[in-house]
Each structure stands twice: as C-alpha cells, then as structure tokens.
Amino acid sequence: MAKITAVIDIGSNSARMVVYEKTSRFAFRMLNETKSKVRISENAYKNGGNLQEEPMQRAYEALCNFLSIASSYKARKILCVATSALRDAPNKALFLKRVREGLGLNIKVISGEKEAFYGGIAAANLLPIQQNAITVDIGGGSTEFALIHGKKVENPISLDLGAVRIKELFFDKGDIEGAKLYIDQELQKLENIDSVDTVIGIGGSFRALSSALMAMENYPFEKLHAYEPNFKNFKKLLSSILEAKSPKDLKKLSIKDERLDVIGPGALILSRIIKKLSIKRLVTSGVGVREGVYLSDILRNSNLRFPDNFNPSVRYLLDAYIKETKHANLLGKLAKEIFDLVHEDLNIPSKYRYHTGLAAKLFPVGSAIHYYSKNKHSYYIIQATLEYGFTHFDTMLIATLTRYAKRKLPSKEHYEKYKQLLPKKETLDKLSFIVSVAIALLTHRPCKLDFSMRFQDGVLYIIKEKGECMRVSQEAVEKLKFIEGFDVVFL
C-alpha cells in the first residue's frame, strides 16, 4: 500500500478529507484533516433527489482544493467515496462526469450497506472492544447501522433517514409529527435487531450532541472519541433540543453554529432510535466511513482486523517517539513483573496490570521533545495520541502514571480534576510507585536486566547478579516518594 493515502468522503452535509501516513505495517498517523460544508444535497430532497447546480459547484470546488492538499503531501493513493446524496440522485452521473473530466478524480458511489459496513469496521477496530452494540451513523441523507460483537461486524443496514432529508421534508414545513411518523416507519425495518444495549454514535449529529454535553457538564477530558455520555443527561439534552424555539436557545445548549439548522432533525432521529431499541448505554465514535475505507485498504489481507494484541496508537507512539525500543519494552516488562509480585499483598485489582506496564513502556516518549521535561511531554503526548482502542479512563490513567513517574506521587489537585477518570487515590499512588520503581531500577543499565526480585512482608528485594553494581539505580530508588507497606531493599 502507498505510504501516504488521502481518503475523501462526500456526504450529504459535508465533504471531508483525511491524509494518512503509514509509520509501520499497520500503524499510521493523520497528516491532515479538511472539511467543507458543501451540503451537496441542499434542496435535492424537495426536487426528487436531483442535485442542484449551486451545491454541485460548491462540492466541485471543495474537491479541487482537497486534491491540491493531497498533492502537497505527495499522496500516492486517493480513495474517494460518496454516500446518500449521490446514491439517491437521479442526475448523479452529471456530477461524477464533471469531476472525472475536470479533476481527474474517480468517485465511488457506495451502497448504504457498504457505508454501514465501513462505519462498523472503523468502530470495531478503533474503539474499545464492544459486545452487543450497534453503530448508528446519522448523516445528512441516510442513517446506517451495523451490529458489533467484539471485532465482528454484522448485518449492515441503511435507512432513508438523515438530518438534512428530515429537515427539508418535514422541519422546514413545521411538520414535526409527520417527521416522527416517517422516522418510525423507517425504523420498522430494524425489527430483526435485538439483544443490543449500546449505541456507538458515528457522524456529525452524534458528535455535536456529545460535544454539547461535554461542555455543559465541564467534562475534564477534551476528546470525543470513546466518550461515554451520561445516558440520563444525554436524553435530557435531546429533549431540550427538540423543545428549543430558536437558534439562540440551541446556542445556550452549546450547539455550534454550523449545526443549528440540522441538530433538531438529528436529535429527533436519534431519540426515536433509542426508544425503538431500548438502548441503555452510549459511546461516541470519532471515526467513521473515512477510517473504515482506509482500514479496509490496509487490512485487506488481514481479515479486516488488526492482529491480536496489536494497537495502532501504541505502535504509532513507539514508531514516532522512541528510538531505543529495547529499553521501552524492558520498562514495560519490568513494571508488569513488579505488579505481579506485589498486587495481591497491596490489594491492587489485577485489571490495572496492563495500564501499569504500558505506562512504563511509553514513559520515554516525552524525551523525543525535551529530555529534562519528558514527564510533561509524555503526559500530553499520551493524552492526545493514545486513543484507538482505549477508553477515556484507560488513557487518563496511563498518561497520569507517566506524568508522575520517578517523581512525587500524583497530586491531590490532579486527582480531583480527573477523579471520574481515575481509580481511587490509594490505588493510583500504588500504581504510580510501581512504575517509578521500574524506571529507577533500569537507570544503571537501560537495556538489560541484571538482577532478580522477590516480594516478602511488604519489601521488594532486589537481588544483584554476582559482580554487578547497581549504585545509580539504588540512588534513583532512594529519591522516590515511598508509599506505606511497600519498601525496596537491595541485596
């Protein structure tokens, strides 16, 4: 596959492009993301689905700019898909020909089921593993669904429900009851969907709602991907949006200007879906069709899933920021070994073993920015970058452990700010100390273990190999802030 790939998604409301660069076989990073609110479907649903001249011109100009951006990054491959608006348009051939002849770009108009499948592939690979979940992608012209069981994507479905479609057919005429009847009639096609308790929200409408709720609740972590809204508060927000009388009312609910005219239809569609499926849990996806298209390309020979125990965010961090991977791997290995020795005596839940090992492994990433402030940089890099396959709790815990590694224990101020995304303070301190000890023990010899360990009566004994000297590591351990019931003794 080409090292740099651009993926363009022409939706009913917006056209978007992302440019990805592979950093190793399955790892990648985003180089650019560009969005244009072309609303190619504007006034189409009032005119038999036919694309109108002005929206087509807006889309053409946006695509021209997209290609220029892709060229500047020397993209070797461009994947372009179009969804509901073009799929439904009787005159789509006119637009496709214009783009092909004028820009040399071939647009692939995908079916609703394919669109649903792409969204499912993105969610299954780039969100924490979900069981009994359904993706819901509310677009401008259609809404797509796919069942997610672990990493399996099943039963992709597309319905003629979209925020722009419902706006033009019903909201612009003040016919809210007609909109409800139409939506409910379409949702009858989901009769075979059962045993799901979680909605994975994809698309602009769901992200706009999640973003609004985060702002209203002063949520401490500024990341939409994998955000789990409070279900009760989310339903209240939907009701408030549907009761809003003016754009001013919507702005008070933290709805951004670009969504003011379509958030009502989007909220109505989502509220009817939640009622129909008896959903109890919500997860926000920052990925969708574009990521699904890209993953379907790079994973085409891997059954459309990453290998077991592989995480693209972790791999990217190692590729981009860590030169001495042997040291990083050894840090992670040692932290887990210490965890295994002490966690039962210290009453630390075993589920935190993974977080502890990964925090130690990724601790060196900040050194690539500045050695003497590596803790700070590791913390911010991990906060921002460690997202695919991780919950917000996972990310914040791992980032926090790197921030305070080889230093004092996590501060009360930090803990209070992120309390909802961290374990109990007592547990956090123990995990922090384990990571710090692992890092300190490798100070004298970063790429080799020349000692063994045992834990007895609250003491971690470090047993040096014959003839080896660990003075530097011993001094590093002595500088640590110790916790009650956990001492370190060198033999």
Side-chain angles (χ1 to χ4, degrees):
M1 178 190 170
K3 187 174 182 181
I4 298 179
T5 299
V7 182
I8 299 171
D9 169 20
I10 306 171
S12 300
N13 192 52
S14 300
R16 301 171 184 264
M17 182 183 71
V18 286
V19 180
Y20 291 114
E21 178 185 33
K22 288 188 71 176
T23 59
S24 54
R25 184 180 179 189
F26 293 121
F28 57 91
R29 65 168 177 155
M30 183 187 294
L31 298 177
N32 180 275
E33 181 178 30
T34 309
K35 170 186 173 182
S36 179
K37 187 180 175 182
V38 299
R39 193 161 287 183
I40 194 171
S41 65
E42 186 175 43
N43 295 322
Y45 300 113
K46 299 176 180 178
N47 292 280
N50 284 289
L51 303 175
Q52 303 301 295
E53 181 57 36
E54 187 175 338
M56 282 196 287
Q57 183 59 30
R58 289 198 300 261
Y60 182 92
E61 292 172 358
L63 291 174
C64 180
N65 290 165
F66 286 179
L67 293 178
S68 178
I69 294 168
S71 176
S72 71
Y73 284 98
K74 297 180 172 58
R76 299 292 298 275
K77 180 183 287 190
I78 297 176
L79 305 172
C80 182
V81 299
T83 55
S84 177
L86 265 71
R87 188 164 62 233
D88 296 342
N91 65 336
K92 60 177 172 286
L94 173 65
F95 180 73
L96 296 175
K97 181 180 179 182
R98 184 181 301 180
V99 171
R100 184 174 61 251
E101 293 181 351
L103 302 177
L105 178 66
N106 289 312
I107 300 172
K108 184 177 181 179
V109 181
I110 58 175
S111 68
E113 290 72 26
K114 193 68 173 179
E115 183 180 356
F117 183 74
Y118 282 141
I121 288 295
N125 280 287
L126 300 178
L127 278 167
I129 292 177
Q130 306 288 335
Q131 301 293 342
N132 304 319
I134 187 169
T135 60
V136 176
D137 186 354
I138 301 174
S142 63
T143 296
E144 280 65 47
F145 305 81
L147 293 176
I148 303 290
H149 296 290
K151 289 191 175 182
K152 293 183 179 179
V153 181
E154 302 171 347
N155 200 20
I157 298 171
S158 179
L159 302 181
D160 288 335
L161 294 174
V164 177
R165 186 191 296 266
I166 297 301
K167 170 188 177 296
E168 293 190 358
L169 294 180
F170 299 99
F171 272 60
D172 287 353
K173 302 173 184 177
D175 186 10
I176 308 304
E177 291 304 313
K180 292 178 181 178
L181 289 173
Y182 176 84
I183 293 168
D184 290 345
Q185 185 175 1
E186 279 292 298
L187 292 179
Q188 289 179 13
K189 299 173 184 177
L190 299 179
E191 290 298 336
N192 294 328
I193 301 293
D194 55 15
S195 299
V196 294
D197 55 21
T198 301
V199 156
I200 298 174
I202 298 174
S205 291
F206 198 99
R207 285 195 289 268
L209 292 164
S210 291
S211 180
L213 189 60
M214 290 172 75
M216 293 170 65
E217 295 183 340
N218 293 315
Y219 187 72
F221 194 21
E222 295 182 6
K223 181 176 289 189
L224 275 173
H225 186 64
Y227 167 62
E228 296 191 28
N230 177 283
F231 187 74
K232 183 178 179 180
N233 292 344
F234 193 89
K235 289 185 69 175
K236 286 183 179 179
L237 175 61
L238 289 177
S239 297
S240 298
I241 288 172
L242 294 174
E243 292 169 1
K245 303 299 183 183
S246 67
K248 185 177 180 180
D249 293 337
L250 291 173
K251 288 184 179 182
K252 290 179 181 179
L253 296 172
S254 299
I255 302 301
K256 297 178 180 178
D257 289 349
E258 64 184 42
R259 285 279 163 186
L260 291 176
D261 62 337
V262 292
I263 197 64
L268 182 61
I269 293 169
L270 184 56
S271 66
R272 308 306 285 187
I273 291 171
I274 291 173
K275 181 179 180 181
K276 170 72 175 178
L277 298 178
S278 301
I279 294 298
K280 302 299 182 185
R281 177 171 172 255
L282 304 168
V283 178
T284 308
S285 174
V287 298
V289 172
R290 294 175 302 286
E291 290 78 10
V293 171
Y294 182 67
L295 292 178
S296 294
D297 191 36
I298 68 171
L299 300 176
R300 60 186 180 276
N301 297 319
S302 302
N303 199 26
L304 297 182
R305 63 178 63 180
F306 290 113
D308 292 340
N309 302 317
F310 176 88
N311 181 278
S313 289
V314 173
R315 184 68 254 174
Y316 165 66
L317 283 169
L318 296 173
D319 290 343
Y321 295 102
I322 295 182
K323 299 295 184 182
E324 185 49 74
T325 56
K326 186 175 182 179
H327 175 57
N329 289 333
L330 205 55
L331 283 172
K333 179 177 182 290
L334 182 58
K336 287 189 284 188
E337 288 181 1
I338 297 172
F339 184 96
D340 292 340
L341 288 171
V342 309
H343 80 94
E344 289 185 357
D345 287 43
L346 297 181
N347 196 30
I348 305 174
S350 58
K351 64 183 178 181
Y352 296 127
R353 182 180 189 268
Y354 175 72
H355 305 83
T356 305
L358 189 55
K361 183 176 184 176
L362 295 179
F363 171 70
V365 300
S367 298
I369 307 299
H370 188 258
Y371 181 83
Y372 291 111
S373 55
K374 57 180 174 289
N375 286 71
K376 177 179 68 175
H377 293 302
S378 292
Y379 173 71
Y380 289 119
I381 290 170
I382 290 170
Q383 253 196 343
T385 308
L386 200 65
E387 55 187 346
Y388 294 151
F390 292 90
T391 66
H392 285 190
F393 182 95
D394 296 331
T395 301
M396 184 52 63
L397 173 53
I398 293 166
T400 295
L401 294 179
T402 63
R403 178 174 183 172
Y404 292 94
K406 284 189 68 178
R407 296 189 173 188
K408 59 186 179 181
L409 299 174
S411 70
K412 291 183 179 179
E413 292 77 14
H414 179 86
Y415 180 74
E416 288 301 322
K417 180 177 180 179
Y418 296 106
K419 188 175 182 179
Q420 69 191 93
L421 297 175
L422 292 170
K424 292 186 296 185
K425 183 64 164 65
E426 180 183 359
T427 300
L428 180 64
D429 287 349
K430 293 172 182 176
L431 298 175
S432 180
F433 187 63
I434 291 171
V435 172
S436 293
V437 169
I439 295 169
L441 287 176
L442 285 181
T443 303
H444 76 291
R445 201 162 189 175
C447 296
K448 183 179 179 181
L449 289 180
D450 56 3
F451 58 90
S452 59
M453 301 177 295
R454 74 170 187 268
F455 189 71
Q456 184 178 348
D457 298 328
V459 178
L460 180 67
Y461 292 97
I462 310 302
I463 306 156
K464 296 175 286 186
E465 291 182 358
K466 188 175 181 180
E468 295 293 342
C469 177
M470 296 183 66
R471 181 178 180 84
V472 172
S473 290
Q474 188 168 349
E475 290 176 342
V477 169
E478 289 172 352
K479 293 178 182 178
L480 301 179
K481 173 73 172 178
F482 277 66
I483 62 173
E484 186 177 351
F486 190 170
D487 199 0
V488 181
V489 173
F490 287 78
L491 298 178

